[in-house]
Amino acid sequence: MTKTKLKILCLHGFRQNSAIFKDRLGGFRRFTKNEAEFEFVTAPHKVENEEGSKEDVDERGWWFQRESNDHFRGAEPGKTSRGFEESVQTVEEHVASHGPYDGLLGFSQGAALVGMLCALQSQNNLRFKVNFAIMISGFKSKCIEHEKMYQTKVEIQSLHVFGEQDKFISIEMSESLVAMFDNPVVMRHSGGHHVPSSGPQKNFYKDTYKHFLQSCLVLKDDIDVHEEKKMEKEQSKENSDISSEVE
């Protein structure tokens, strides 16, 4: 019998793409290979060249803070989130074609987007449903257009991972996203802006990731059993109605 695994959709950070993020998530994926399988989606917007960009790399972003495709800083407030709606649509279309998925995983800007997708789901404004979310170096968007998404708590399982030495996303920014979720699991590490999977705390990282996903597997089994019972009940009622019509 094939062991049930979680199916997780992964969203990369700003100036990354699905291939880059798949590589950088390698340690996490190895730790949890018995619990989950991972798929990746690339943001629809190509980042134009700016300082620090590599011309031979397909760098992508989920939204921008200017009219040009060259600027995003998580710590900066903004009045616009150009490209955001198209990115949500891209994820929805990917899920429609390749899903369903049990959960979402995001890094940096991708983690911020995961948080907002969860908020949209809680507000019944998303075309798919997930049961958990993992946000690494995540934060609440500081864009004025996104403020409405943070008005209510999100009631799904969540794991938040962030580093004390992160030079791009402060601890306070990540904690603001944590506060948006009910009963969040938090893993704070001593590193920076990356997915922690090595070093002296390697076993701690591994145990945290595996324990969280194992708890999500228990939830998945409970949901599957509930759905089976619901279908059986509906089928029984349908058979009963048919019998009544025959009589």
Coordinates of all heavy atoms in Angstrom, one line a residue, residues 29-118:
R29 N 13.2 19.6 1.5 CA 12.6 18.5 0.8 C 13.2 17.1 1.2 O 12.4 16.1 1.3 CB 12.7 18.7 -0.7 CG 11.9 19.9 -1.2 CD 11.9 20.0 -2.7 NE 13.2 20.3 -3.3 CZ 13.8 19.5 -4.1 NH1 13.4 18.3 -4.4 NH2 15.0 19.9 -4.6
R30 N 14.5 17.1 1.4 CA 15.1 15.8 1.9 C 14.6 15.4 3.3 O 14.4 14.2 3.5 CB 16.6 15.9 1.9 CG 17.2 15.9 0.5 CD 18.7 15.8 0.5 NE 19.4 16.9 1.2 CZ 19.7 18.0 0.6 NH1 19.5 18.2 -0.7 NH2 20.4 19.0 1.2
F31 N 14.5 16.4 4.2 CA 14.1 16.1 5.5 C 12.7 15.5 5.5 O 12.3 14.7 6.4 CB 14.1 17.4 6.3 CG 15.4 17.9 6.7 CD1 15.6 19.2 7.1 CD2 16.5 17.1 6.7 CE1 16.9 19.7 7.5 CE2 17.8 17.5 7.1 CZ 18.0 18.9 7.5
T32 N 11.8 16.0 4.6 CA 10.4 15.6 4.7 C 9.9 14.8 3.5 O 8.7 14.8 3.2 CB 9.6 16.9 4.7 OG1 9.8 17.7 3.6 CG2 9.9 17.7 6.0
K33 N 10.8 14.0 2.9 CA 10.5 13.2 1.7 C 9.5 12.2 2.0 O 8.8 11.7 1.1 CB 11.7 12.6 1.1 CG 12.5 11.6 2.0 CD 13.7 11.1 1.4 CE 14.5 10.2 2.3 NZ 15.7 9.7 1.7
N34 N 9.4 11.7 3.3 CA 8.4 10.7 3.6 C 7.0 11.3 3.9 O 6.0 10.5 3.9 CB 8.9 9.9 4.8 CG 10.1 9.1 4.5 OD1 10.3 8.5 3.4 ND2 11.0 8.9 5.5
E35 N 7.0 12.6 4.1 CA 5.7 13.2 4.5 C 5.1 14.0 3.3 O 3.8 14.2 3.3 CB 5.9 14.2 5.7 CG 6.2 13.6 7.0 CD 7.6 13.1 7.2 OE1 8.5 13.6 6.5 OE2 7.8 12.2 8.0
A36 N 5.9 14.4 2.4 CA 5.3 15.4 1.4 C 6.0 15.3 0.0 O 7.1 14.8 -0.1 CB 5.3 16.8 1.9
E37 N 5.2 15.7 -1.0 CA 5.8 15.9 -2.3 C 5.6 17.4 -2.7 O 4.6 17.9 -2.3 CB 5.2 15.0 -3.3 CG 3.7 15.0 -3.4 CD 3.1 14.0 -4.4 OE1 3.7 12.9 -4.5 OE2 2.0 14.3 -5.0
F38 N 6.5 17.9 -3.4 CA 6.5 19.4 -3.6 C 6.5 19.7 -5.1 O 7.2 19.1 -5.9 CB 7.8 20.0 -3.0 CG 7.9 19.8 -1.5 CD1 8.5 18.6 -1.1 CD2 7.5 20.7 -0.6 CE1 8.7 18.4 0.3 CE2 7.6 20.5 0.8 CZ 8.2 19.3 1.2
E39 N 5.6 20.7 -5.4 CA 5.5 21.2 -6.8 C 5.7 22.7 -6.7 O 5.5 23.3 -5.7 CB 4.2 20.8 -7.4 CG 4.0 19.3 -7.6 CD 2.7 18.9 -8.3 OE1 2.0 19.9 -8.7 OE2 2.4 17.7 -8.4
F40 N 6.2 23.3 -7.8 CA 6.6 24.7 -7.8 C 5.9 25.4 -9.0 O 5.6 24.9 -10.0 CB 8.1 24.8 -8.0 CG 8.8 24.1 -6.8 CD1 9.0 22.8 -6.8 CD2 9.4 24.9 -5.8 CE1 9.7 22.2 -5.7 CE2 10.1 24.4 -4.8 CZ 10.2 23.0 -4.7
V41 N 5.6 26.7 -8.7 CA 5.0 27.6 -9.7 C 5.9 28.9 -9.8 O 6.4 29.4 -8.8 CB 3.6 27.9 -9.4 CG1 3.4 28.6 -8.1 CG2 2.9 28.7 -10.5
T42 N 6.0 29.4 -11.0 CA 6.8 30.6 -11.2 C 5.9 31.8 -11.4 O 4.9 31.7 -12.0 CB 7.7 30.4 -12.5 OG1 8.7 29.4 -12.3 CG2 8.4 31.8 -12.9
A43 N 6.3 32.9 -10.8 CA 5.6 34.1 -10.8 C 5.5 34.6 -12.3 O 6.4 34.4 -13.1 CB 6.2 35.2 -10.0
P44 N 4.4 35.3 -12.7 CA 4.1 35.7 -14.1 C 4.9 36.9 -14.5 O 5.0 37.1 -15.7 CB 2.7 36.0 -14.1 CG 2.3 36.4 -12.7 CD 3.2 35.6 -11.8
H45 N 5.5 37.6 -13.6 CA 6.2 38.9 -13.9 C 7.7 38.8 -13.9 O 8.3 38.4 -12.9 CB 5.7 40.0 -13.0 CG 4.3 40.1 -12.8 ND1 3.4 40.4 -13.8 CD2 3.5 39.9 -11.7 CE1 2.2 40.4 -13.4 NE2 2.2 40.1 -12.1
K46 N 8.3 39.1 -15.1 CA 9.8 39.1 -15.2 C 10.3 40.4 -14.6 O 9.8 41.5 -14.8 CB 10.2 39.0 -16.6 CG 11.7 38.8 -16.8 CD 12.0 38.6 -18.3 CE 13.5 38.4 -18.5 NZ 14.0 37.2 -17.8
V47 N 11.3 40.3 -13.7 CA 12.0 41.5 -13.1 C 12.9 42.1 -14.1 O 13.8 41.4 -14.6 CB 12.7 41.1 -11.8 CG1 13.3 42.3 -11.2 CG2 11.7 40.4 -10.8
E48 N 12.8 43.4 -14.3 CA 13.7 44.1 -15.2 C 15.0 44.3 -14.5 O 15.1 44.2 -13.2 CB 13.1 45.4 -15.6 CG 11.9 45.3 -16.4 CD 11.2 46.6 -16.7 OE1 11.7 47.7 -16.2 OE2 10.2 46.7 -17.5
N49 N 16.1 44.5 -15.2 CA 17.4 44.6 -14.7 C 17.5 45.8 -13.7 O 17.0 46.9 -13.9 CB 18.5 44.8 -15.7 CG 18.7 43.6 -16.5 OD1 18.5 42.5 -16.0 ND2 19.1 43.7 -17.8
E50 N 18.1 45.5 -12.5 CA 18.4 46.6 -11.6 C 19.7 46.2 -10.9 O 20.2 45.1 -11.1 CB 17.3 46.7 -10.5 CG 17.1 45.5 -9.6 CD 16.1 45.8 -8.5 OE1 15.8 47.0 -8.3 OE2 15.7 44.9 -7.8
E51 N 20.2 47.0 -10.0 CA 21.4 46.7 -9.3 C 21.3 45.4 -8.6 O 20.4 45.2 -7.8 CB 21.8 47.8 -8.3 CG 23.1 47.6 -7.7 CD 23.4 48.8 -6.7 OE1 22.6 49.7 -6.7 OE2 24.4 48.7 -6.0
G52 N 22.3 44.5 -8.8 CA 22.2 43.2 -8.2 C 21.6 42.1 -9.0 O 21.6 40.9 -8.6
S53 N 21.0 42.4 -10.1 CA 20.4 41.4 -11.0 C 21.4 40.8 -11.9 O 22.4 41.3 -12.2 CB 19.3 42.1 -11.9 OG 18.2 42.6 -11.1
K54 N 21.1 39.5 -12.3 CA 21.9 38.8 -13.2 C 21.2 38.7 -14.5 O 20.1 38.1 -14.6 CB 22.2 37.4 -12.7 CG 23.0 37.5 -11.3 CD 23.2 36.1 -10.8 CE 24.0 36.1 -9.5 NZ 24.2 34.8 -8.9
E55 N 21.8 39.2 -15.6 CA 21.1 39.3 -16.9 C 20.7 37.9 -17.5 O 19.8 37.8 -18.2 CB 21.9 40.1 -17.9 CG 22.1 41.6 -17.5 CD 22.8 42.3 -18.6 OE1 23.0 41.8 -19.7 OE2 23.1 43.5 -18.4
D56 N 21.5 36.9 -17.1 CA 21.3 35.6 -17.7 C 20.3 34.7 -16.8 O 20.2 33.5 -17.1 CB 22.6 34.8 -17.9 CG 23.4 34.7 -16.6 OD1 23.1 35.4 -15.6 OD2 24.3 33.8 -16.5
V57 N 19.8 35.3 -15.8 CA 18.8 34.5 -14.9 C 17.4 35.0 -15.1 O 17.2 36.3 -15.2 CB 19.3 34.7 -13.4 CG1 18.3 34.0 -12.5 CG2 20.7 34.1 -13.2
D58 N 16.5 34.1 -15.2 CA 15.1 34.5 -15.4 C 14.5 34.9 -14.0 O 14.0 34.0 -13.3 CB 14.3 33.3 -16.0 CG 12.8 33.7 -16.2 OD1 12.5 34.9 -16.3 OD2 12.0 32.7 -16.2
E59 N 14.7 36.1 -13.6 CA 14.2 36.6 -12.3 C 12.8 37.0 -12.3 O 12.4 37.8 -13.2 CB 15.1 37.7 -11.8 CG 16.6 37.3 -11.6 CD 17.5 38.4 -11.1 OE1 17.1 39.6 -11.4 OE2 18.5 38.1 -10.5
R60 N 12.0 36.6 -11.4 CA 10.5 36.8 -11.4 C 10.1 37.5 -10.1 O 10.7 37.3 -9.0 CB 9.8 35.5 -11.6 CG 10.1 34.8 -12.9 CD 9.5 35.7 -14.1 NE 9.8 35.1 -15.4 CZ 8.8 34.8 -16.3 NH1 7.6 35.0 -16.0 NH2 9.2 34.3 -17.4
G61 N 8.9 38.1 -10.1 CA 8.3 38.7 -8.9 C 6.8 38.6 -9.0 O 6.2 38.4 -10.0
W62 N 6.2 38.6 -7.8 CA 4.8 38.4 -7.7 C 4.0 39.7 -7.8 O 2.9 39.8 -8.2 CB 4.4 37.7 -6.3 CG 5.0 36.3 -6.2 CD1 6.1 35.9 -5.5 CD2 4.5 35.1 -6.9 NE1 6.3 34.6 -5.7 CE2 5.4 34.1 -6.6 CE3 3.5 34.9 -7.8 CZ2 5.2 32.8 -7.0 CZ3 3.3 33.6 -8.3 CH2 4.2 32.5 -7.9
W63 N 4.7 40.8 -7.3 CA 4.1 42.1 -7.5 C 5.2 43.2 -7.3 O 6.3 42.9 -6.8 CB 2.9 42.4 -6.6 CG 3.2 42.7 -5.1 CD1 3.5 43.9 -4.5 CD2 3.3 41.7 -4.1 NE1 3.7 43.7 -3.2 CE2 3.6 42.4 -2.9 CE3 3.1 40.3 -4.1 CZ2 3.7 41.7 -1.7 CZ3 3.3 39.6 -2.9 CH2 3.6 40.3 -1.7
F64 N 4.9 44.4 -7.7 CA 5.9 45.5 -7.7 C 5.4 46.7 -7.0 O 4.2 46.9 -7.0 CB 6.4 45.8 -9.1 CG 7.0 44.7 -9.9 CD1 6.2 43.9 -10.7 CD2 8.3 44.3 -9.7 CE1 6.7 42.9 -11.4 CE2 8.8 43.2 -10.4 CZ 8.0 42.5 -11.3
Q65 N 6.3 47.5 -6.5 CA 5.9 48.8 -5.8 C 6.0 50.0 -6.7 O 5.7 51.1 -6.3 CB 6.7 49.0 -4.6 CG 6.5 47.9 -3.5 CD 7.6 47.9 -2.5 OE1 8.8 48.0 -2.8 NE2 7.2 47.7 -1.2
R66 N 6.4 49.8 -8.0 CA 6.5 50.9 -8.9 C 5.8 50.5 -10.2 O 5.4 49.4 -10.4 CB 7.9 51.3 -9.2 CG 8.7 51.8 -8.0 CD 10.2 52.0 -8.4 NE 11.0 52.5 -7.3 CZ 12.3 52.5 -7.3 NH1 13.0 52.0 -8.3 NH2 13.0 52.9 -6.2
E67 N 5.6 51.5 -11.1 CA 5.0 51.2 -12.4 C 6.0 50.3 -13.3 O 5.5 49.7 -14.2 CB 4.7 52.5 -13.1 CG 3.5 53.2 -12.5 CD 2.3 52.3 -12.4 OE1 1.9 51.7 -13.4 OE2 1.7 52.2 -11.3
S68 N 7.3 50.4 -13.0 CA 8.2 49.5 -13.8 C 8.4 48.2 -13.0 O 8.3 48.1 -11.8 CB 9.5 50.3 -13.9 OG 10.1 50.6 -12.7
N69 N 8.8 47.2 -13.8 CA 9.1 45.9 -13.2 C 10.5 45.7 -12.6 O 11.2 44.9 -13.0 CB 8.9 44.8 -14.2 CG 7.4 44.6 -14.6 OD1 6.6 45.5 -14.4 ND2 7.1 43.4 -15.1
D70 N 10.8 46.6 -11.7 CA 12.2 46.5 -11.2 C 12.3 46.8 -9.7 O 13.5 46.8 -9.2 CB 13.1 47.6 -11.9 CG 12.7 49.0 -11.6 OD1 11.6 49.2 -10.9 OD2 13.3 49.9 -12.1
H71 N 11.2 46.9 -9.0 CA 11.4 47.3 -7.6 C 10.4 46.6 -6.7 O 9.2 46.6 -6.9 CB 11.2 48.8 -7.4 CG 11.6 49.3 -6.1 ND1 12.8 49.5 -5.6 CD2 10.8 49.6 -5.0 CE1 12.8 49.9 -4.3 NE2 11.6 50.0 -4.0
F72 N 11.0 46.0 -5.6 CA 10.2 45.5 -4.5 C 11.1 45.4 -3.3 O 12.2 44.9 -3.3 CB 9.6 44.2 -4.7 CG 8.9 43.6 -3.5 CD1 7.6 44.1 -3.3 CD2 9.5 42.8 -2.7 CE1 6.9 43.6 -2.1 CE2 8.8 42.3 -1.5 CZ 7.5 42.8 -1.3
R73 N 10.7 46.0 -2.2 CA 11.3 45.9 -0.9 C 10.3 45.6 0.2 O 9.4 46.4 0.4 CB 12.1 47.2 -0.5 CG 13.2 47.6 -1.5 CD 14.4 46.7 -1.4 NE 15.5 47.1 -2.2 CZ 15.7 46.8 -3.5 NH1 14.8 46.0 -4.1 NH2 16.7 47.3 -4.2
G74 N 10.4 44.5 0.8 CA 9.4 44.1 1.8 C 9.2 45.1 2.9 O 8.1 45.2 3.5
A75 N 10.3 45.7 3.3 CA 10.2 46.7 4.4 C 9.7 48.0 4.1 O 9.4 48.8 5.0 CB 11.6 46.8 5.0
E76 N 9.5 48.3 2.8 CA 9.0 49.6 2.4 C 7.5 49.7 2.2 O 6.9 48.8 1.5 CB 9.7 50.0 1.0 CG 11.2 50.2 1.1 CD 11.7 50.6 -0.3 OE1 10.9 50.9 -1.2 OE2 13.0 50.7 -0.4
P77 N 6.9 50.7 2.8 CA 5.4 50.9 2.5 C 5.2 51.2 1.1 O 6.1 51.8 0.4 CB 5.1 52.1 3.4 CG 6.2 52.1 4.4 CD 7.4 51.6 3.7
G78 N 4.1 50.9 0.6 CA 3.8 51.2 -0.8 C 2.3 51.5 -1.1 O 1.4 51.1 -0.3
K79 N 2.0 52.3 -2.1 CA 0.6 52.6 -2.4 C 0.1 51.7 -3.6 O -1.1 51.6 -3.8 CB 0.5 54.1 -2.9 CG 0.8 55.1 -1.8 CD 0.7 56.5 -2.3 CE 1.0 57.5 -1.2 NZ 0.8 58.9 -1.6
T80 N 1.0 51.0 -4.3 CA 0.6 50.2 -5.4 C 1.2 48.8 -5.2 O 2.2 48.6 -4.6 CB 1.0 50.8 -6.7 OG1 0.5 49.9 -7.8 CG2 2.5 50.8 -6.8
S81 N 0.5 47.8 -5.8 CA 1.0 46.4 -5.8 C 0.8 45.9 -7.2 O 0.1 44.9 -7.4 CB 0.2 45.5 -4.8 OG -1.2 45.6 -5.1
R82 N 1.4 46.5 -8.2 CA 1.2 46.2 -9.6 C 1.5 44.8 -9.9 O 2.6 44.3 -9.6 CB 2.0 47.2 -10.4 CG 1.5 47.2 -11.9 CD 2.3 48.3 -12.6 NE 3.7 48.0 -12.7 CZ 4.2 47.1 -13.5 NH1 3.4 46.4 -14.4 NH2 5.5 46.8 -13.5
G83 N 0.6 44.1 -10.5 CA 0.8 42.7 -10.9 C 0.2 41.7 -9.9 O 0.3 40.5 -10.1
F84 N -0.2 42.2 -8.7 CA -0.7 41.2 -7.7 C -1.9 40.4 -8.1 O -1.9 39.2 -8.0 CB -1.1 42.0 -6.4 CG -1.6 41.2 -5.3 CD1 -0.8 40.4 -4.5 CD2 -3.0 41.1 -5.1 CE1 -1.3 39.6 -3.5 CE2 -3.5 40.3 -4.1 CZ -2.6 39.6 -3.3
E85 N -2.9 41.0 -8.7 CA -4.1 40.3 -9.2 C -3.7 39.2 -10.2 O -4.2 38.1 -10.1 CB -5.1 41.2 -9.8 CG -5.8 42.1 -8.8 CD -4.9 43.3 -8.4 OE1 -3.8 43.5 -9.1 OE2 -5.3 44.1 -7.5
E86 N -2.8 39.5 -11.1 CA -2.4 38.5 -12.1 C -1.6 37.3 -11.4 O -1.8 36.2 -11.9 CB -1.4 39.2 -13.1 CG -2.1 40.2 -14.0 CD -2.1 41.6 -13.5 OE1 -1.9 41.7 -12.2 OE2 -2.4 42.5 -14.2
S87 N -0.9 37.6 -10.4 CA -0.2 36.6 -9.7 C -1.2 35.6 -8.9 O -1.0 34.4 -8.9 CB 0.8 37.2 -8.7 OG 1.9 37.7 -9.4
V88 N -2.2 36.2 -8.3 CA -3.2 35.4 -7.7 C -3.9 34.5 -8.7 O -4.1 33.3 -8.5 CB -4.3 36.3 -6.9 CG1 -5.4 35.4 -6.5 CG2 -3.6 37.0 -5.8
Q89 N -4.2 35.1 -9.9 CA -4.8 34.3 -10.9 C -3.9 33.2 -11.4 O -4.3 32.1 -11.7 CB -5.2 35.2 -12.1 CG -5.9 34.5 -13.2 CD -6.3 35.5 -14.3 OE1 -6.2 36.7 -14.2 NE2 -6.8 34.9 -15.4
T90 N -2.6 33.5 -11.5 CA -1.6 32.5 -11.9 C -1.6 31.3 -11.0 O -1.6 30.1 -11.4 CB -0.2 33.1 -12.0 OG1 -0.1 34.0 -13.0 CG2 0.9 32.0 -12.2
V91 N -1.7 31.5 -9.7 CA -1.7 30.4 -8.7 C -3.0 29.7 -8.8 O -3.0 28.4 -8.8 CB -1.5 31.0 -7.3 CG1 -1.6 29.9 -6.3 CG2 -0.1 31.7 -7.2
E92 N -4.1 30.4 -8.9 CA -5.4 29.8 -9.0 C -5.5 28.9 -10.3 O -6.0 27.7 -10.2 CB -6.5 30.8 -9.1 CG -6.8 31.5 -7.8 CD -7.9 32.6 -7.9 OE1 -8.0 33.2 -9.0 OE2 -8.6 32.7 -6.9
E93 N -5.0 29.3 -11.4 CA -5.0 28.5 -12.6 C -4.1 27.3 -12.5 O -4.4 26.2 -13.0 CB -4.6 29.4 -13.8 CG -5.6 30.4 -14.2 CD -5.2 31.4 -15.3 OE1 -4.0 31.3 -15.6 OE2 -6.0 32.2 -15.7
H94 N -2.9 27.5 -11.9 CA -2.0 26.4 -11.6 C -2.7 25.3 -10.8 O -2.6 24.1 -11.1 CB -0.7 26.8 -11.0 CG 0.3 25.7 -10.8 ND1 1.2 25.4 -11.7 CD2 0.4 24.8 -9.8 CE1 1.9 24.4 -11.3 NE2 1.5 24.0 -10.1
V95 N -3.4 25.7 -9.7 CA -4.1 24.8 -8.9 C -5.2 24.0 -9.6 O -5.4 22.8 -9.5 CB -4.6 25.5 -7.6 CG1 -5.5 24.5 -6.8 CG2 -3.5 26.0 -6.7
A96 N -5.9 24.8 -10.5 CA -7.0 24.2 -11.2 C -6.4 23.1 -12.2 O -7.1 22.1 -12.4 CB -7.7 25.3 -12.0
S97 N -5.2 23.3 -12.7 CA -4.6 22.4 -13.7 C -3.9 21.3 -13.0 O -3.8 20.1 -13.6 CB -3.7 23.1 -14.6 OG -4.4 24.1 -15.4
H98 N -3.2 21.5 -11.9 CA -2.4 20.5 -11.3 C -2.8 20.1 -9.9 O -2.1 19.2 -9.3 CB -0.9 21.1 -11.2 CG -0.4 21.4 -12.6 ND1 -0.5 22.7 -13.2 CD2 0.4 20.7 -13.5 CE1 0.1 22.7 -14.3 NE2 0.6 21.5 -14.5
G99 N -3.7 20.7 -9.3 CA -4.1 20.4 -7.9 C -5.1 19.3 -7.8 O -5.3 18.5 -8.8
P100 N -5.8 19.1 -6.7 CA -5.7 20.0 -5.5 C -4.4 19.8 -4.7 O -3.7 18.8 -4.9 CB -6.9 19.6 -4.7 CG -7.1 18.1 -5.0 CD -6.7 18.0 -6.5
Y101 N -4.1 20.8 -3.9 CA -3.0 20.7 -3.0 C -3.5 20.8 -1.5 O -4.5 21.4 -1.2 CB -2.1 21.9 -3.2 CG -1.4 21.9 -4.6 CD1 -2.0 22.5 -5.7 CD2 -0.2 21.2 -4.8 CE1 -1.4 22.4 -6.9 CE2 0.4 21.1 -6.0 CZ -0.2 21.8 -7.1 OH 0.4 21.7 -8.3
D102 N -2.7 20.1 -0.7 CA -3.0 20.1 0.7 C -2.6 21.4 1.4 O -3.2 21.9 2.3 CB -2.4 18.9 1.4 CG -2.9 17.6 0.9 OD1 -4.1 17.3 1.1 OD2 -2.1 16.8 0.3
G103 N -1.4 21.9 0.9 CA -0.9 23.1 1.6 C -0.1 24.0 0.6 O 0.2 23.6 -0.5
L104 N 0.3 25.2 1.1 CA 1.1 26.1 0.4 C 2.4 26.3 1.2 O 2.4 26.3 2.4 CB 0.4 27.4 0.2 CG -0.8 27.5 -0.6 CD1 -1.5 28.8 -0.5 CD2 -0.6 27.1 -2.1
L105 N 3.5 26.6 0.5 CA 4.8 26.9 1.1 C 5.4 28.1 0.4 O 5.4 28.1 -0.9 CB 5.8 25.7 1.1 CG 7.1 25.9 1.8 CD1 7.7 24.6 2.2 CD2 8.1 26.6 0.9
G106 N 5.8 29.1 1.1 CA 6.3 30.3 0.4 C 7.6 30.8 1.1 O 7.7 30.6 2.3
F107 N 8.4 31.5 0.3 CA 9.6 32.1 0.9 C 9.6 33.6 0.6 O 9.4 34.0 -0.6 CB 10.9 31.5 0.3 CG 12.2 32.1 0.7 CD1 12.7 32.0 1.9 CD2 12.9 32.9 -0.2 CE1 13.9 32.6 2.3 CE2 14.0 33.6 0.1 CZ 14.5 33.4 1.4
S108 N 9.9 34.4 1.6 CA 10.0 35.9 1.4 C 8.8 36.5 0.8 O 7.7 36.4 1.3 CB 11.3 36.2 0.6 OG 11.7 37.6 0.8
Q109 N 8.9 37.1 -0.4 CA 7.7 37.7 -1.1 C 6.7 36.6 -1.4 O 5.5 36.8 -1.3 CB 8.1 38.4 -2.4 CG 6.9 39.2 -2.9 CD 7.2 39.7 -4.4 OE1 7.6 39.0 -5.2 NE2 6.8 41.0 -4.6
G110 N 7.2 35.4 -1.7 CA 6.2 34.2 -1.9 C 5.5 33.9 -0.6 O 4.4 33.5 -0.6
A111 N 6.2 34.0 0.6 CA 5.6 33.7 1.9 C 4.5 34.8 2.2 O 3.4 34.5 2.7 CB 6.6 33.7 3.0
A112 N 4.8 36.1 1.8 CA 3.8 37.1 2.0 C 2.6 36.8 1.2 O 1.4 37.0 1.6 CB 4.4 38.5 1.6
L113 N 2.8 36.4 -0.1 CA 1.7 36.0 -0.9 C 0.9 34.8 -0.4 O -0.3 34.8 -0.4 CB 2.2 35.7 -2.3 CG 1.1 35.2 -3.4 CD1 0.0 36.3 -3.5 CD2 1.8 35.0 -4.7
V114 N 1.6 33.8 0.2 CA 0.9 32.7 0.8 C 0.0 33.2 1.9 O -1.2 32.8 2.1 CB 1.9 31.7 1.4 CG1 1.2 30.7 2.3 CG2 2.6 30.9 0.2
G115 N 0.5 34.1 2.7 CA -0.3 34.7 3.8 C -1.6 35.3 3.3 O -2.7 35.2 3.9
M116 N -1.4 36.1 2.2 CA -2.6 36.8 1.6 C -3.6 35.8 0.9 O -4.8 36.0 1.0 CB -2.2 37.9 0.7 CG -1.6 39.1 1.4 SD -1.2 40.5 0.4 CE 0.3 40.0 -0.4
L117 N -3.0 34.7 0.3 CA -3.9 33.7 -0.2 C -4.7 33.0 0.9 O -5.9 32.7 0.7 CB -3.1 32.7 -1.0 CG -2.4 33.1 -2.3 CD1 -1.4 32.1 -2.8 CD2 -3.4 33.5 -3.3
C118 N -4.1 32.8 2.0 CA -4.8 32.2 3.1 C -5.9 33.1 3.6 O -7.0 32.7 4.0 CB -3.9 31.9 4.3 SG -2.7 30.5 3.9

